[in-house]
Amino acid sequence: MTETTNIELNYFKTIGHGYQWFLLYEFVIGDKTLFDKSDIEILKEIISSRILNKSLYHNEMDGIELELKGLGETPGRPYEFDKIEMSDFQFINSKTDFKNWITKFRTEGWVDDQDDAKFLMDRAEKELWSRTDLKNGVWYLTKENFEEDSDKLIEIHWIYLHFKTFIEIDRKNETIRTFDFGYD
């Protein structure tokens, strides 16, 4: 499954505001048997694929105007995926629980840029709900769950104040959806 030929970036949306950004990707998988596996088995497979790697830029984006300028030059996700374990992922069960997470993220812990965070989250939430209902929940990794000196973070992880990567396994549409919130 991890071969590039079995993975197609079907949809993406980039939203940037100030120093914050949101990226949404939808991948169609050629190997339909992937969706017969458990969530944990699927996560183990996609963690070594181009779906969940350090890079946030995909060749399918070439020549397309992106709202988030310089995406190809960004350092990418701050995780050392070859060292990530399944216990590093957290699970949000429902759309309601995710909406509660968004409300908390939008309003708590912001010393600076809270207005920018609210603006970005409003736009990101609108885009996300236009694509999914998170019926099966969502898995996520957050930089904040690792110690500063963790070998599970890339060396330049410190450039991000926040970084969250979400993974939705959409069995109905046979799609893997990822979305990232970043703040640098």
Side-chain angles (χ1 to χ4, degrees):
M1 198 298 297
T2 58
E3 294 180 25
T4 304
T5 56
N6 288 333
I7 302 168
E8 177 187 344
L9 179 60
N10 190 47
Y11 178 84
F12 64 89
K13 177 72 175 181
T14 65
I15 300 173
H17 187 74
Y19 295 103
Q20 302 172 43
W21 36 270
F22 170 79
L23 303 167
L24 171 65
Y25 302 104
E26 291 180 359
F27 295 92
V28 176
I29 311 300
D31 178 7
K32 301 305 178 195
T33 63
L34 178 72
F35 295 98
D36 295 333
K37 298 178 181 182
S38 72
D39 282 9
I40 297 298
E41 290 171 320
I42 292 171
L43 287 173
K44 285 180 181 178
E45 281 203 42
I46 68 171
I47 205 166
S48 61
S49 75
R50 71 187 192 109
I51 293 172
L52 266 189
N53 61 23
K54 291 178 192 172
S55 178
L56 290 166
Y57 189 79
H58 297 275
N59 291 337
E60 293 95 335
M61 299 168 133
D62 284 345
I64 298 172
E65 184 71 25
L66 303 174
E67 185 171 341
L68 187 60
K69 305 296 181 215
L71 178 60
E73 290 85 46
T74 61
R77 293 182 177 109
Y79 315 111
E80 290 285 0
F81 283 106
D82 57 336
K83 296 177 182 175
I84 295 291
E85 300 170 22
M86 293 305 107
S87 60
D88 295 321
F89 287 93
Q90 297 178 44
F91 187 69
I92 298 176
N93 289 316
S94 66
K95 182 176 181 177
T96 301
D97 291 343
F98 185 74
K99 283 184 172 186
N100 291 338
W101 178 89
I102 286 178
T103 299
K104 184 177 177 180
F105 183 70
R106 184 185 277 134
T107 58
E108 293 181 11
W110 291 97
V111 176
D112 296 319
D113 299 327
Q114 184 170 12
D115 290 338
D116 288 343
K118 287 180 182 179
F119 181 81
L120 177 77
M121 294 302 286
D122 288 346
R123 290 184 62 204
E125 196 172 8
K126 182 179 177 182
E127 176 65 23
L128 188 60
W129 300 142
S130 77
R131 304 297 300 177
T132 184
D133 61 7
L134 294 181
K135 183 179 180 181
N136 298 311
V138 65
W139 293 89
Y140 76 102
L141 285 171
T142 179
K143 174 189 170 291
E144 288 80 17
N145 282 353
F146 300 104
E147 297 293 325
E148 284 292 315
D149 61 350
S150 173
D151 66 346
K152 295 179 181 184
L153 296 173
I154 61 173
E155 274 186 40
I156 56 173
H157 73 86
W158 50 267
I159 69 165
Y160 298 113
L161 296 177
H162 297 288
F163 201 102
K164 286 123 179 32
T165 297
F166 292 84
I167 305 103
E168 178 189 11
I169 300 167
D170 184 344
R171 285 182 168 79
K172 179 182 175 189
N173 295 307
E174 296 181 333
T175 299
I176 302 291
R177 193 171 288 107
T178 66
F179 46 101
D180 297 274
F181 293 101
Y183 176 43
D184 56 11

